[in-house]
Amino acid sequence: MKKVIFISCGQDGLYCLYKALSETTDDVHAININQKYNYSKAEIEYTKYYMDNCVEWLQQNVRDFEYSIVPEIEINWANKIPWKSRRYDGLSEKSIRLIKIGNFKYKNDFVAIQNWERDYNIGYYGKLHNADEIVTGLDYLQSQNRTRLDGSCTIAQIEFGMEFSYPIAENMVGRISIYAALPKGLRDIMIQCADRWKGEEKNCEKCRKCLTRKAYDRVIQTGILTVKELDGIIHNYVINHSMYQTMSATKLVQERIEIFLKDS
């Protein structure tokens, strides 16, 4: 079986890649999409440095696999294009309808279009590389928004006939558990702070990546909770608050980790 796994050097994609390499004998091809239309050159170069290090570590310490960096496909309905100027040339009527309905349903044009655009790229490259399975790091809490699961992945199925799998979401693996499951050598060289690409010399200690690391360290040091128990608390917090707040699941996760760190 050939698995194409999409990574961006975040912990979710690395977790999926590490699990596939360490727990299966599948033919694994890791791909990073150079999203030059959505991210700055500084962000892309910063991420590439860490991705190259992580890929090399996995190839040397787990097993060899294929790795590619591919260009983002420029499409005529991308989020960088003004809404009234977007065209949908080449898309089926069913996909166009899903995109337009999704934009209205979620009332968040940027997020919906960006997710669909990204996953359209994933479907394209999965088919190009003859994948039997496309693996992404979408987690359970992210899927509660369902922007991707309702629209974008369906579009990839419609346009390219590709099926997606979500090991993290399907197994309900929490954020702290994901971090804990990665080998220490890999944790030490992956991106530890979301703001370091700006040229900062030290970690900000405030972003979600920094808070995840700090929460894991606090659990290990104090023993007041297990990693799984903390993830359960975070999960329940997000579920209980998401229907009352406009804050995203990602922000709610960050907020609950901050509460844990303050109270412990």
Side-chain angles (χ1 to χ4, degrees):
M1 173 181 250
K2 183 171 184 178
K3 287 184 177 179
V4 171
I5 303 176
F6 288 85
I7 62 172
S8 61
C9 209
Q11 68 170 31
D12 295 347
L14 285 177
Y15 172 89
C16 294
L17 179 56
Y18 171 68
K19 287 292 185 180
L21 294 172
S22 61
E23 297 181 0
T24 77
T25 58
D26 295 333
D27 179 13
V28 173
H29 187 163
I31 293 180
N32 171 258
I33 299 174
N34 182 342
Q35 298 181 56
K36 64 180 181 179
Y37 301 116
N38 289 309
Y39 295 95
S40 68
K41 182 179 179 181
E43 287 177 280
I44 291 171
E45 290 178 350
Y46 173 78
T47 301
K48 182 180 182 302
Y49 170 79
Y50 282 93
M51 275 194 305
D52 289 348
N53 287 340
C54 290
V55 166
E56 183 179 2
W57 190 95
L58 287 165
Q59 289 172 332
Q60 292 179 353
N61 293 277
V62 185
R63 65 179 172 96
D64 198 19
F65 60 95
E66 191 173 357
Y67 170 58
S68 303
I69 299 176
V70 297
E72 182 178 17
I73 303 167
E74 185 171 11
I75 51 182
N76 53 28
W77 45 275
N79 67 64
K80 67 186 179 69
I81 300 173
W83 184 78
K84 291 183 179 180
S85 300
R86 291 174 186 161
R87 305 191 316 277
Y88 300 91
D89 302 341
L91 279 185
S92 68
E93 287 298 322
K94 188 173 183 180
S95 292
I96 295 170
R97 187 166 62 251
L98 283 168
I99 292 172
K100 291 183 176 180
I101 291 173
N103 287 345
F104 174 78
K105 178 179 179 181
Y106 297 110
K107 298 180 177 61
N108 192 337
D109 185 68
F110 177 82
V111 172
I113 287 291
Q114 187 181 43
N115 284 338
W116 284 323
E117 177 187 347
R118 181 183 298 121
D119 290 337
Y120 180 91
N121 273 262
I122 289 173
Y124 172 85
Y125 282 111
K127 186 173 182 65
L128 182 67
H129 291 280
N130 300 311
D132 297 306
E133 180 182 347
I134 294 176
V135 182
T136 73
L138 186 69
D139 67 36
Y140 179 78
L141 292 175
Q142 289 172 319
S143 73
Q144 297 311 295
N145 178 282
R146 298 197 66 80
T147 300
R148 288 190 179 184
L149 296 185
D150 278 355
S152 61
C153 294
T154 306
I155 289 172
Q157 292 166 358
I158 294 169
E159 301 300 324
F160 303 108
M162 304 305 300
E163 295 293 331
F164 286 63
S165 69
Y166 312 94
I168 294 173
E170 290 161 1
N171 296 297
M172 293 185 64
V173 186
R175 180 164 185 84
I176 314 302
S177 296
I178 293 168
Y179 184 85
L182 296 174
K184 185 178 184 304
L186 186 57
R187 289 201 304 263
D188 289 344
I189 61 172
M190 71 181 190
I191 294 177
Q192 294 281 351
C193 176
D195 286 343
R196 289 290 292 276
W197 68 269
K198 298 176 182 178
E200 302 292 336
E201 294 183 2
K202 297 180 180 180
N203 293 337
C204 72
E205 305 300 338
K206 296 178 181 179
C207 70
R208 189 167 54 126
K209 294 180 186 296
C210 285
L211 291 174
T212 299
R213 169 176 41 80
K214 290 169 69 174
Y216 171 77
D217 290 342
R218 186 72 55 84
V219 167
I220 298 302
Q221 290 167 3
T222 64
I224 57 176
L225 291 171
T226 65
V227 166
K228 189 172 183 179
E229 287 171 340
L230 178 55
D231 274 329
I233 291 171
I234 294 170
H235 172 84
N236 291 333
Y237 183 83
V238 174
I239 297 300
N240 291 335
H241 287 76
S242 58
M243 66 182 68
Y244 304 112
Q245 298 186 22
T246 57
M247 192 181 300
S248 68
T250 296
K251 292 293 186 183
L252 286 168
V253 168
Q254 183 169 326
E255 182 176 86
R256 189 58 184 89
I257 294 176
E258 288 172 342
I259 293 171
F260 165 73
L261 290 170
K262 181 180 178 181
D263 292 346
S264 60

